[in-house]
Amino acid sequence: QTPPPALDSPLAAWLRAPRPEAEPGIWRCGHVPRPPEDPDRVRTRVLVLGALGTALGGWLFWRLLWEGYLGWYWQWPAAVLIPKSWAKTPDLYIFAAKTYFWIVKLAIAAFCYRLGRWGEVLRRLGRWLTKERPSPVGAPLRPSRQPAPPPHADPARWAHLRAAGAVQAADRLTAELYAGRLSDVDYARIDRAWQAARHHPQQQAAFTEAVLRDGAAAFAHGSGARDLPVRTAQHDLVAGQVRVGVAADVDRNPWDYRTASIAVGPGVLGTSMVAVGPPMLVGRLLRPVVESLGLHALADAASMIVVTAGSTAPLAPDAAFDVVVRPGDPTSTHGLDLYGGSTDPDEAAGNLAEALVGDQVALLPGGDSRRAATVLAQLLGPFAAVHQRCPTVRELRDLLEGTGPTLDELRHAVARAGATAQARDLDAFARQLSQPVVGLLAERIALLDRPAFDGFFAADPAGTAGTGYRPFSLAALHHPLRVRIDLPERGHAVASRIIARLVLAQFLDSAARARTGRFSGLVMTDATQVITPQSLRGIQRLHGHAGVVFGLPTLTDVPDHLRAPLLGAVGCRAAAAGCSPWDGEHFASAWGLEWVETRTVTAHERIADEPLTRAMHQLKKFTSGKAVTRESVTVRREQRQRWSASDLANEVPPGHAVISMTTVTGDRTPPILTKIAE
């Protein structure tokens, strides 16, 4: 095998980069922990100005001495120490005089060096010059000229495969890496395949055979794609992180986080996330998340669904997705399964009821959608028992409206089939036809029974004949799919909200059951009128192997009684610049209080008893316009909000967001002021 060249490849440098343990949310690739905080540390700007000031003062002092403006007394030691006989030898005398002058210069320089703390200035300058600069966003690490580690300890030469005996596969992959045919996605995908096969000898043989046959393209994604068409963020598939910004160097941020790159990954997104603020800034925060989930899907480690408004710019191009669903668009190639591929009528009824009336639960009995789910189950169960499928949108609308022969035909068909339990359900439904919940369901399902959606919500391929739509079901989440759903916000605003709630309900139901070892992520760029009590309960049941990311222009788009529960249900919260004070109140309550040390300075006017002192005080008051005072300082510890509503609304700089995170293991970060990467 040809040894690696002296100048290593960028991918090898990325694999060999140190990834030390760090606080949650810190970008680990190449991270250098900050030294412990020095309470007496002077800011660099103040330190440099002081050093320059002392240098200037020392130079002026020497010039005044040299020109004689301060007298000639400083030359007296030279006159005493230099023997008078040396005056007869001019060269020797001049050498001694110059030596004395240089000693005085060095003494002044040493004094200014200590006074101006030039040693600390030079140390900080050295650290700044030798500090590793972060690579541009999306760029790989720079190649390293350091000698490569031995093969048994070199991740770029697949040391873990060699240790397990798969030497041939390791040699082939190493050659692919140094030939430039192996990417970071290929490395993550093949390594995941190896982790699944390493404990089974037969699977190890199949793994080696696939690698020797296909090289870097082994175990490729079903779409054949091995990378995204474009990247705008820095990704580290070894640590599973994506860089979203840099923590600001301000006193509000904890010492360990200041100037550190902030990153998220499945270990953080598994607790779900909500980002509130202007759509443009929230989009900049969510775009790296979408890219990261897409790369993990190509590496067979995740599945992803992105729900966006069709009228807004997508977070990623169409080529970055396997399926693009556009409800109401005749050019869409895929439709949406109204029942999420569920074979249980009760389960399908619950998800559909959540989508149709989840935003109106305050008007429904029980305060949630369970009553509506019961009504739908009384229709779906008998229909599925007779037809072996769920009804189409048109059929379901006719059944809910109770008009025409549809309901009678279903009753006769159930009777002929001898399904007595389903017959009782139909009788119970008939008795509730006059109830408001049935009328609301019929009104909402009619919004999906529009000509623009004709054939779009069919549940089986036979129902899509002639429409050109291929049904997509969220039951396919056990595959590493990349899906984007563009909602028709402009022409069908209410229907768009119904579809968004339907996708969320089906995702939560499918993700709660999935046990594939892959992470499932749902990103909703605008979750307006989507959050419901049932969806919040579903988010809390995801157990860390799936997560939902909500983007919101404002929390007022969430029902008032759900705003605090929403921030309590998710582990990651982000308040972007431009957040209103009303939204800030909820974030301030969620982030809680902290102990701080406050200093209170009180000024008291000094009252003099002696006439001379009183006269001096009057003279100072006359010249300065202020009375003579003395100050008293009181230091105490008290609890204050980490970020108040006013701070979030007025003190977050443009392009920044305050972000807090929680990992699936329970580790938490304080709210961190972060500059969002552009």
Side-chain angles (χ1 to χ4, degrees):
Q1 180 186 349
T2 304
L7 181 60
D8 219 338
S9 69
L11 181 60
W14 168 69
L15 292 172
R16 294 170 184 152
R19 293 172 175 83
E21 292 296 327
E23 297 293 330
I26 289 181
W27 173 261
R28 292 175 51 199
C29 183
H31 172 66
V32 178
R34 300 191 75 184
E37 182 178 9
D38 182 5
D40 299 327
R41 185 178 187 271
V42 181
R43 289 181 177 272
T44 301
R45 181 183 302 176
V46 177
L47 190 65
V48 170
L49 291 177
L52 294 177
T54 55
L56 179 61
W59 178 80
L60 289 175
F61 181 70
W62 166 249
R63 295 304 302 176
L64 291 175
L65 286 177
W66 183 255
E67 298 295 339
Y69 289 104
L70 301 180
W72 302 100
Y73 60 89
W74 61 280
Q75 297 184 11
W76 176 79
V80 174
L81 295 175
I82 298 176
K84 295 184 187 231
S85 60
W86 289 12
K88 299 178 182 179
T89 309
D91 293 339
L92 185 60
Y93 186 84
I94 293 173
F95 173 78
K98 287 186 176 181
T99 301
Y100 174 75
F101 295 154
W102 274 105
I103 291 175
V104 175
K105 286 183 181 181
L106 291 176
I108 296 175
F111 177 78
C112 294
Y113 181 87
R114 293 294 302 273
L115 182 64
R117 301 180 65 176
W118 274 95
E120 179 66 18
V121 172
L122 296 177
R123 282 192 295 272
R124 294 190 189 182
L125 179 62
R127 288 197 296 266
W128 182 80
L129 292 175
T130 58
K131 181 180 179 181
E132 183 71 19
R133 298 292 187 275
S135 301
V137 174
L141 292 177
R142 291 186 291 270
S144 173
R145 296 186 179 273
Q146 298 297 327
H152 67 274
D154 189 358
R157 304 188 69 185
W158 300 82
H160 53 298
L161 268 67
R162 299 179 188 277
V167 179
Q168 290 182 328
D171 289 343
R172 174 64 189 276
L173 293 173
T174 302
E176 295 279 285
L177 187 151
Y178 283 105
R181 293 188 294 268
L182 187 84
S183 67
D184 55 347
V185 179
D186 296 330
Y187 185 94
R189 185 187 65 253
I190 295 174
D191 183 67
R192 178 177 172 82
W194 168 253
Q195 297 301 327
R198 63 192 180 97
H199 296 299
H200 307 281
Q202 293 181 348
Q203 295 184 16
Q204 285 189 25
F207 173 87
T208 301
E209 180 182 354
V211 169
L212 294 179
R213 181 182 65 250
D214 301 325
F219 312 103
H221 187 260
S223 65
R226 294 167 55 191
D227 202 350
L228 297 178
V230 62
R231 298 193 194 186
T232 61
Q234 271 185 293
H235 300 268
D236 182 15
L237 296 181
V238 171
Q241 292 182 312
V242 57
R243 181 176 174 271
V244 298
V246 179
D249 188 10
V250 295
D251 294 338
R252 282 186 175 275
N253 285 342
W255 175 259
D256 293 337
Y257 284 91
R258 296 178 193 172
T259 70
S261 294
I262 302 301
V264 299
V268 170
L269 298 177
T271 60
S272 296
M273 178 178 182
V274 60
V276 178
M280 182 175 295
L281 190 54
V282 171
R284 281 171 49 188
L285 180 62
L286 300 187
R287 185 178 294 110
V289 175
V290 173
E291 285 186 11
S292 178
L293 292 177
L295 290 175
H296 280 86
L298 294 178
D300 195 31
S303 57
M304 171 186 68
I305 297 178
V306 181
V307 181
T308 65
S311 58
T312 61
L315 298 180
D318 292 355
F321 297 93
D322 306 312
V323 177
V324 178
V325 183
R326 296 186 175 95
D329 188 347
T331 63
S332 178
T333 58
H334 288 76
L336 190 63
D337 188 346
L338 189 65
Y339 305 101
S342 176
T343 58
D344 184 354
D346 292 328
E347 180 181 289
N351 293 335
L352 185 55
E354 181 70 11
L356 295 176
V357 299
D359 61 330
Q360 299 291 327
V361 293
L363 306 177
L364 299 177
D368 55 29
S369 60
R370 287 179 292 182
R371 180 69 177 274
T374 302
V375 171
L376 286 175
Q378 291 169 349
L379 285 178
L380 299 184
F383 193 97
V386 173
H387 299 283
Q388 307 305 315
R389 64 176 177 84
C390 291
T392 64
V393 174
R394 180 65 54 81
E395 292 169 339
L396 183 58
R397 177 183 179 182
D398 293 340
L399 290 171
L400 287 171
E401 290 178 348
T403 59
T406 306
L407 187 59
D408 294 334
E409 290 175 358
L410 180 59
R411 184 180 290 108
H412 294 324
V414 169
R416 287 194 301 269
T420 57
Q422 283 75 13
R424 287 196 300 270
D425 280 347
L426 279 178
D427 293 338
F429 171 75
R431 291 192 296 269
Q432 299 183 76
L433 274 174
S434 60
Q435 296 296 322
V437 64
V438 179
L440 183 58
L441 287 171
E443 177 186 337
R444 287 301 179 86
I445 200 66
L447 295 173
L448 303 182
D449 187 25
R450 302 292 299 161
F453 302 126
D454 186 25
F456 185 84
F457 294 103
D460 62 314
T464 63
T467 64
Y469 297 129
R470 297 172 54 191
F472 169 74
S473 169
L474 269 75
L477 279 178
H478 60 279
H479 297 293
L481 288 175
R482 302 168 297 163
V483 183
R484 193 182 80 211
I485 301 175
D486 294 338
L487 301 178
E489 287 279 2
R490 183 165 296 175
H492 305 275
V494 180
S496 295
R497 297 299 96 195
I498 294 175
I499 297 172
R501 289 193 296 270
L502 179 64
V503 172
L504 176 58
Q506 292 180 356
F507 173 84
L508 294 175
D509 189 64
S510 299
R513 296 195 309 267
R515 292 294 185 271
T516 62
R518 300 185 186 92
F519 180 82
S520 299
L522 171 64
V523 180
M524 308 191 80
T525 59
D526 186 356
T528 301
Q529 298 179 5
V530 173
I531 311 299
T532 65
Q534 192 67 22
S535 64
L536 292 182
R537 286 190 286 266
I539 290 173
Q540 294 173 327
R541 293 196 299 266
L542 291 180
H543 305 300
H545 62 276
V548 183
V549 180
F550 295 117
L552 283 167
T554 172
L555 283 176
T556 56
D557 293 329
V558 179
D560 184 44
H561 65 285
L562 295 180
R563 295 170 192 169
L566 170 63
L567 295 180
V570 300
C572 305
R573 313 176 188 98
C579 180
S580 68
W582 297 273
D583 293 341
E585 289 181 1
H586 294 283
F587 280 99
S589 299
W591 284 325
L593 308 175
E594 64 177 346
W595 285 100
V596 296
E597 187 177 272
T598 60
R599 296 169 59 90
T600 304
V601 180
T602 306
H604 303 277
E605 183 177 358
R606 296 182 61 180
I607 306 300
D609 296 330
E610 294 80 4
L612 181 60
T613 306
R614 189 181 301 114
M616 293 297 295
H617 287 183
Q618 292 295 332
L619 178 62
K620 185 175 182 180
K621 183 176 181 180
F622 176 78
T623 55
S624 64
K626 297 180 180 179
V628 178
T629 60
R630 64 171 180 269
E631 295 182 347
S632 61
V633 180
T634 304
V635 181
R636 61 181 178 182
R637 286 174 55 83
E638 62 182 10
Q639 284 187 318
R640 286 187 180 178
Q641 289 180 327
R642 297 177 184 269
W643 281 84
S644 67
S646 177
D647 293 340
L648 291 171
N650 303 308
E651 294 190 12
V652 178
H656 289 66
V658 182
I659 305 174
S660 66
M661 304 180 193
T662 303
T663 65
V664 295
T665 58
D667 296 328
R668 297 176 179 270
T669 73
I672 305 164
L673 180 62
T674 305
K675 179 176 176 55
I676 304 302
E678 298 182 0

